[in-house]
Amino acid sequence: ERTPVPSRLDVLVVGAGFSGLYALHRLRELGHAVHVVEAADDIGGVWHHNRYPGARCDIESVDYCYSFSDELIREWDWTERYPAQPEILRYIHHVADRFDLRRDITLGTRVTALTWDEGAVRWTARTDRGDEIAADHVIMATGQLSVAQIPAIPGLDDFAGGWYHTGNWPRDGVDFTGRRVGVIGTGSSGVQAIPQIARQAAHLTVFQRTAHFAVPARNRPLDQAYAAALKTRFAEYREQARNHPGGTHRVLSRQSALEATPEELRATFERHWNNGGPDILAAYRDLISDRAANEKAAEYVRGKIRELVRDPEVAERLIPRGYPFGTKRLVLEIGYYETFNRDNVELVDVRATPIERITPAGVRTGEREHPLDTLVFATGFDALTGALLKVDIRGVGGASLREKWAAGPRTYLGISTAGFPNLFFIAGPGSPSVLSNVLVSIEQHVEWVSEHLEHLRKNGLRRSEADLEREDAWVAHVNEVAAATLYPVGNSWYLGANVPGKPRVFMPYVGGVGRYRRICAEVAADGYTGFHLS
Ligand code: NA7
C-alpha cells in the first residue's frame, strides 16, 4: 500500500537515504509540512541498492552514523570497524522506526520533473505515478553515487546469462556457485566484490581497465570497550570531526615526504599499512599536493602488491601507474590482491586487449572470447550530478538545469544554484561531501538548510535564490583549491571521467570540511550573503 503524497507541502524532500531521512526528521521537528518521495521500493538509498557481496563502507562505523540524537548514539552498537552493507541498512531502518519517519515517506515513486512557478513562488513536482505536488521548497537528497553507470558495450542484450550492476543488486542476492563469472571494473565496488565472488564461483575473470590503488582495510570486530568509551564523549568526538579538513579524526602529518629518509618513509607507511584504512593519505603533508612526494607512497604500495601476488606478471598488471596515489578514491581491500593467487581467478587487462563486444556466451576481447555464465558490472556511477539531472528541473523562465550545467555543475556552496530558487542540494557538487565523512557533511547541510528555511519563515520571506556572481566566485574557489592538489590529475568519478561525454570538472570541494562549515556559518550569520531573499 503506497503512502499517498500530499498535494501541498512546505518542503518536498526527494530521496530516502541518509540525507533525506534526516531532512525529514529535522524539518518535521521544526513544524514544516514535509514529505519524502523515494524511487526505490524501500528506504536506505545507496545502502538499499548496493547489496553486492562484500559491500562495506570505507569510513569507520563509529564515524559513519548520525550524531543528532544522544539516545540514538547510546542505543546503537556497531559490530565491526568498517560496517558492512546489511548492518548499515539495519541502522537506517532502526532510525526510520525510532523517529517514526515512515508515515511521511512515499516509496516506489520517482520525481520526474520539477517546475518553478514564479507567480505562486513555489515548485510543482511531478512523479512517475501521476502525482502533482506543490511545494514551497524542494530538497534534493538524491545521492552522490546513486545512478549506476553501465558502459555501452555492444552486444549486452544478446548475453545469455544474468548480468548485474553492483549498485543495483537484486534483493535476493545472486548465487555464483558453479558459475563462470566476469567482473568488469576494479574500483571500490569491484575490489570488495571480487574476493567474495572468487570464493563461490567456478571461475572468475576480472576485466581491469585501470589498476586502482588499494590498501588493507584491516577490518575487525569493533572493540566494544573502545566504542563504549567513545559514547561517553561522543559530542566532543564529533565536534572535532566537524572542524577537521576531512570531517574525520585522521592525524594530519606536518612533515614532507621529501624530507624523510627512506627508512623513515618505510616505517611510516608500514605502520599505516598494518593499521589499515585510508589514513595513509595523511602520513605526510604533501602526498596529495606534490607529485614527487606522492610517488613515495605510490612506490611503497607497488612494492606491497609485488609481495602479495605470486605471479610477477599478474602483479605488474595489478600495479597502478600513470596517476598519483589517492587521487582516484583510495580503495580499502580485504584479501583482494591474494585473490589473484587462486587457480580459478584470471586478470584481463582491457587496456592491452580491449573488450570488443559481449556475445551470447561471454565477453570477447581483442585476444579471445571469455566464456561466462554471469556478468557483473562494477563500473561505477554517474556521480554527483547524475541523479539531479535525471529530473527535468525547470527554474526561472523555464530554464533547464541540464542546460545550465551542460559544461559542468555550478553551485553556490554546493547547496543552491542561481535561477532555481527554493531548491537545495544535500551533498551536491561543490560541497565537500564525497571527500569527507559524508555523514558529517550531510548533517551540516541539512542543518544549514533547515536554519535557512527557519530564517525565511521568521522573516516572512518566501523566495531564496543564489546570486549568479557569488555562484561564479564559489565555482572559481572550488576549482582553485582543487588545482592546488593532485586530485584533478587522476581520472576519477570526482571529475566525471568515468562517464563518456561527461564534462571534466572537478566537482567536490577539497578546501576542507571545517573551512567549508565556517564559510557556510558566516554566510548565515551575515543574513545569507549571496542569496537574494524576498
Ligand atoms: P568506480 O570507483 O567509478 O570504479 C568503476 C570501475 O569500473 C573502474 O575500475 C573503471 O575503470 C571501470 N570501468 C568503467 N567503465 C568501464 C568500461 N567501459 N570498461 C572497463 N572498465 C570500466 O566505482 P565503484 O562503484 O567501484 O566505486 C564508487 C564509489 O562508491 C567509491 O569510490 C566509494 O566512494 C563508494 P577506470 O578506473 O574508469 O578506468
Side-chain angles (χ1 to χ4, degrees), residues 210-336:
T210 307
H212 290 228
F213 284 99
V215 299
R218 307 274 181 230
N219 186 45
R220 53 178 176 254
L222 184 63
D223 177 339
Q224 291 304 325
Y226 160 76
L230 210 53
K231 285 185 183 192
T232 65
R233 57 176 188 91
F234 196 80
E236 175 204 335
Y237 177 75
R238 189 61 165 248
E239 188 58 22
Q240 285 166 1
R242 291 190 187 112
N243 296 299
H244 182 283
T248 64
H249 298 273
R250 181 176 294 172
V251 178
L252 309 174
S253 167
R254 286 162 192 244
Q255 202 194 344
S256 163
L258 300 172
E259 288 159 5
T261 66
E263 295 71 32
E264 283 167 353
L265 286 169
R266 171 111 205 137
T268 302
F269 292 139
E270 194 77 8
R271 181 165 52 79
H272 280 287
W273 186 269
N274 293 334
N275 283 343
D279 288 8
I280 191 169
L281 287 169
Y284 292 97
R285 66 155 200 267
D286 43 6
L287 293 184
I288 291 299
S289 57
D290 183 286
R291 192 73 194 246
N294 183 283
E295 194 52 26
K296 308 276 182 196
E299 259 312 295
Y300 172 81
V301 175
R302 291 184 192 120
K304 282 293 179 188
I305 298 169
R306 288 190 184 101
E307 284 171 24
L308 289 166
V309 180
R310 258 184 247 130
D311 181 335
E313 246 177 66
V314 176
E316 287 313 304
R317 266 181 270 151
L318 285 166
I319 284 173
R321 291 191 180 82
Y323 67 95
F325 172 73
T327 56
K328 282 164 93 75
R329 192 180 180 93
L330 186 60
V331 176
L332 299 193
E333 58 84 26
I334 301 177
Y336 177 67

Side-chain angles (χ1 to χ4, degrees), residues 2 109 126-132:
R2 197 178 80 116
T109 305
R126 289 189 180 76
T127 75
D128 64 352
R129 303 286 293 262
D131 308 288
E132 192 172 305

Side-chain angles (χ1 to χ4, degrees), residues 137-436:
H137 301 275
V138 175
I139 295 179
M140 297 300 280
T142 41
Q144 302 85 62
L145 295 155
S146 48
V147 177
Q149 179 65 23
I150 295 170
I153 304 171
L156 181 56
D157 289 345
D158 307 330
F159 186 58
W163 63 267
Y164 311 90
H165 188 285
T166 49
N168 248 327
W169 207 253
R171 232 183 222 267
D172 300 331
V174 179
D175 185 7
F176 295 105
T177 317
R179 305 268 178 87
R180 296 164 304 172
V181 183
V183 174
I184 302 180
T186 53
S188 299
S189 304
V191 168
Q192 289 185 335
I194 285 161
Q196 305 281 331
I197 296 173
R199 252 178 254 148
Q200 259 192 49
H203 188 267
L204 172 64
T205 311
V206 175
F207 297 91
Q208 171 188 274
R209 183 165 72 183
T210 307
H212 290 228
F213 284 99
V215 299
R218 307 274 181 230
N219 186 45
R220 53 178 176 254
L222 184 63
D223 177 339
Q224 291 304 325
Y226 160 76
L230 210 53
K231 285 185 183 192
T232 65
R233 57 176 188 91
F234 196 80
E236 175 204 335
Y237 177 75
R238 189 61 165 248
E239 188 58 22
Q240 285 166 1
R242 291 190 187 112
N243 296 299
H244 182 283
T248 64
H249 298 273
R250 181 176 294 172
V251 178
L252 309 174
S253 167
R254 286 162 192 244
Q255 202 194 344
S256 163
L258 300 172
E259 288 159 5
T261 66
E263 295 71 32
E264 283 167 353
L265 286 169
R266 171 111 205 137
T268 302
F269 292 139
E270 194 77 8
R271 181 165 52 79
H272 280 287
W273 186 269
N274 293 334
N275 283 343
D279 288 8
I280 191 169
L281 287 169
Y284 292 97
R285 66 155 200 267
D286 43 6
L287 293 184
I288 291 299
S289 57
D290 183 286
R291 192 73 194 246
N294 183 283
E295 194 52 26
K296 308 276 182 196
E299 259 312 295
Y300 172 81
V301 175
R302 291 184 192 120
K304 282 293 179 188
I305 298 169
R306 288 190 184 101
E307 284 171 24
L308 289 166
V309 180
R310 258 184 247 130
D311 181 335
E313 246 177 66
V314 176
E316 287 313 304
R317 266 181 270 151
L318 285 166
I319 284 173
R321 291 191 180 82
Y323 67 95
F325 172 73
T327 56
K328 282 164 93 75
R329 192 180 180 93
L330 186 60
V331 176
L332 299 193
E333 58 84 26
I334 301 177
Y336 177 67
Y337 291 114
E338 293 89 334
T339 298
F340 294 91
N341 296 333
R342 296 176 65 106
D343 293 335
N344 69 333
V345 177
E346 185 185 349
L347 179 67
V348 176
D349 174 355
V350 302
R351 253 192 242 282
T353 53
I355 296 176
E356 284 179 353
R357 65 177 301 117
I358 295 169
T359 65
V363 167
R364 196 164 72 218
T365 62
E367 189 189 35
R368 65 181 174 96
E369 181 167 86
H370 298 268
L372 301 170
D373 306 306
T374 308
L375 190 52
V376 173
F377 290 97
T379 44
F381 302 88
D382 185 355
L384 286 142
T385 54
L388 296 170
L389 298 182
K390 233 174 147 169
V391 183
D392 184 16
I393 305 180
R394 304 275 167 168
V396 176
S400 136
L401 187 64
R402 286 177 194 149
E403 277 165 35
K404 178 176 173 182
W405 286 7
R410 304 188 71 80
T411 67
Y412 179 44
L413 303 172
I415 289 175
S416 154
T417 192
F420 298 80
N422 297 11
L423 178 72
F424 302 96
F425 312 121
I426 304 301
S431 88
S433 60
V434 293
L435 284 174
S436 73

Side-chain angles (χ1 to χ4, degrees), residues 5 9-25 27-28 33-39 104-106 109 111 114 133 135 137-142 424 426 446 449 453:
V5 195
L9 289 168
D10 295 338
V11 187
L12 169 67
V13 176
V14 186
F18 270 113
S19 300
L21 294 177
Y22 183 39
L24 167 59
H25 173 64
L27 290 166
R28 204 169 63 180
V34 52
H35 193 89
V36 176
V37 173
E38 164 62 55
D104 291 313
I105 302 171
T106 298
T109 305
V111 171
L114 289 171
I133 310 148
H137 301 275
V138 175
I139 295 179
M140 297 300 280
T142 41
F424 302 96
I426 304 301
V446 169
V449 171
L453 297 187

